[in-house]
Amino acid sequence: MTFNTLAFLFFFAIIYLLYRKLGHHRQNWLLLAASYMFYSFWDWRFLSLLIISTLANFYFGLRIYE
Protein backbone atom coordinates (compact mmCIF):
# COMPACT_ATOMS: atom_id res chain seq x y z
CA MET A 1 0.00 0.00 0.00
CA THR A 2 1.35 3.39 -0.93
CA PHE A 3 0.12 6.85 -0.04
CA ASN A 4 -1.41 7.53 -3.45
CA THR A 5 -3.80 4.55 -3.58
CA LEU A 6 -7.47 4.23 -2.82
CA ALA A 7 -6.69 1.51 -0.27
CA PHE A 8 -4.61 3.99 1.73
CA LEU A 9 -7.46 6.51 1.65
CA PHE A 10 -9.83 3.93 3.16
CA PHE A 11 -7.21 2.84 5.69
CA PHE A 12 -6.55 6.44 6.70
CA ALA A 13 -10.27 7.26 6.98
CA ILE A 14 -10.95 4.27 9.24
CA ILE A 15 -7.97 5.00 11.47
CA TYR A 16 -8.85 8.70 11.65
CA LEU A 17 -12.44 7.98 12.67
CA LEU A 18 -11.32 5.50 15.30
CA TYR A 19 -8.70 7.98 16.53
CA ARG A 20 -11.33 10.67 17.06
CA LYS A 21 -13.51 8.29 19.09
CA LEU A 22 -10.82 7.06 21.50
CA GLY A 23 -9.25 8.61 24.58
CA HIS A 24 -5.65 9.80 24.62
CA HIS A 25 -4.06 6.61 25.95
CA ARG A 26 -5.89 4.41 23.47
CA GLN A 27 -5.09 6.80 20.62
CA ASN A 28 -1.40 6.07 21.12
CA TRP A 29 -1.99 2.32 20.96
CA LEU A 30 -4.17 2.73 17.87
CA LEU A 31 -1.48 4.70 16.05
CA LEU A 32 1.14 2.13 16.99
CA ALA A 33 -1.01 -0.74 15.72
CA ALA A 34 -1.99 1.18 12.57
CA SER A 35 1.63 1.95 11.75
CA TYR A 36 2.54 -1.72 12.19
CA MET A 37 -0.34 -2.65 9.88
CA PHE A 38 0.69 -0.05 7.29
CA TYR A 39 4.29 -1.21 7.19
CA SER A 40 3.25 -4.87 7.13
CA PHE A 41 1.23 -4.22 3.96
CA TRP A 42 4.51 -3.23 2.31
CA ASP A 43 6.50 -6.26 3.46
CA TRP A 44 5.55 -8.27 6.54
CA ARG A 45 9.06 -9.71 6.87
CA PHE A 46 10.37 -6.39 8.19
CA LEU A 47 7.69 -6.17 10.86
CA SER A 48 9.82 -8.00 13.42
CA LEU A 49 12.62 -5.48 12.86
CA LEU A 50 10.20 -2.62 13.47
CA ILE A 51 8.86 -4.22 16.65
CA ILE A 52 12.38 -4.85 17.98
CA SER A 53 13.31 -1.26 17.21
CA THR A 54 10.18 0.01 18.97
CA LEU A 55 10.87 -2.05 22.08
CA ALA A 56 14.53 -1.01 22.19
CA ASN A 57 13.67 2.68 21.80
CA PHE A 58 11.02 2.41 24.51
CA TYR A 59 13.43 0.69 26.89
CA PHE A 60 16.25 3.19 26.31
CA GLY A 61 13.81 6.07 26.59
CA LEU A 62 12.79 4.83 30.03
CA ARG A 63 16.44 4.45 30.99
CA ILE A 64 17.24 8.02 29.90
CA TYR A 65 14.27 9.33 31.87
CA GLU A 66 15.57 7.79 35.14
Side-chain angles (χ1 to χ4, degrees):
M1 175 185 342
T2 57
F3 292 108
N4 59 351
T5 61
L6 193 56
F8 176 76
L9 180 64
F10 289 130
F11 177 76
F12 178 79
I14 291 168
I15 297 302
Y16 180 74
L17 292 174
L18 287 172
Y19 181 85
R20 299 290 291 172
K21 297 277 184 199
L22 297 176
H24 179 70
H25 183 69
R26 290 190 174 153
Q27 287 175 343
N28 293 338
W29 286 106
L30 173 70
L31 291 179
L32 180 65
S35 62
Y36 285 163
M37 285 176 51
F38 178 75
Y39 285 113
S40 70
F41 283 134
W42 176 61
D43 194 349
W44 64 269
R45 294 175 295 173
F46 295 119
L47 192 58
S48 62
L49 180 62
L50 185 61
I51 291 170
I52 291 168
S53 175
T54 301
L55 293 173
N57 287 327
F58 182 74
Y59 171 75
F60 290 122
L62 289 176
R63 298 288 298 179
I64 289 171
Y65 184 70
E66 290 177 353

